[in-house]
């Protein structure tokens, strides 16, 4: 089951997340809607659990780091509200636990560098069109 969810996150959620930056307004709105649907499914999977498998970080949590790290920063940079504590409480709690994990903190780049990088990605498609 873990491989299913990891593939789902990579194929569906990541695909929609990439389209946010590189498409026209109509397609962007559709991608945001798709992300919302995918996040709702992940929210249900976390019901009553600290992590996707239970009480420890596992394969699906690592695959879902896209949500914890990239989507969180993308929200910050773009002002989008893809998920919040109010709309996705289980996902929000998972996100907090995941990012507070010592191993995760040791392996991820510093947040300020990620914010800068994602901000530059956001500007790149627009500048290429001008």
């Amino acid at each position: 089951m873990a491989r299913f969810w990891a593939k789902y996150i990579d194929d569906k959620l990541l695909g929609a997340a990439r389209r946010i930056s590189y498409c026209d307004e109509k397609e962007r709105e559709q991608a945001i809607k798709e992300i919302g649907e995918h996040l709702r499914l992940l929210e249900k999977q976390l019901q009553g659990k600290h992590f996707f498998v239970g009480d420890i970080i596992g394969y699906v949590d690592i695959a879902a780091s896209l949500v914890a790290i990239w989507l969180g920063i993308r929200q910050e940079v773009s002002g989008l509200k893809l998920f919040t504590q109010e709309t996705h409480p289980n996902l929000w709690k998972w996100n907090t636990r995941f990012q507070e994990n010592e191993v995760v903190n040791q392996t991820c780049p510093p947040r300020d560098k990620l914010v800068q990088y994602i901000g530059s990605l956001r500007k790149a498609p627009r500048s290429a069109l001008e």
Side-chain angles (χ1 to χ4, degrees), residues 63-75:
S65 67
L66 156 79
V67 175
I69 298 165
W70 292 99
L71 285 185
I73 293 173
R74 187 169 291 257
Q75 286 188 141

Side-chain angles (χ1 to χ4, degrees), residues 50-51 57 68-69 92-106 108:
H50 287 117
F51 297 102
I57 290 178
I69 298 165
W92 193 267
K93 289 175 193 170
W94 166 84
N95 180 16
T96 302
R97 283 185 206 102
F98 185 80
Q99 291 195 47
E100 288 174 348
N101 182 277
E102 185 178 338
V103 175
V104 171
N105 284 321
Q106 290 173 356
C108 287

Side-chain angles (χ1 to χ4, degrees), residues 10-11 18-19 31 39 47 52 58 72 75 84 107 110 115:
D10 280 349
D11 291 350
R18 284 183 177 147
R19 289 197 331 263
L39 292 176
Q47 187 71 37
F52 283 97
Q75 286 188 141
T84 66
T107 56
V115 169

Side-chain angles (χ1 to χ4, degrees), residues 40-56:
R40 276 189 289 284
L41 283 174
L42 294 178
E43 172 78 9
K44 288 179 185 177
Q45 291 302 310
L46 286 164
Q47 187 71 37
K49 297 187 258 184
H50 287 117
F51 297 102
F52 283 97
V53 184
D55 290 332
I56 60 170

Side-chain angles (χ1 to χ4, degrees), residues 12 20 34 48 55 60 81 94 110 113 124:
K12 303 289 185 179
I20 288 175
E34 286 177 34
D55 290 332
V60 179
K81 295 294 179 202
W94 166 84
K113 291 192 184 278

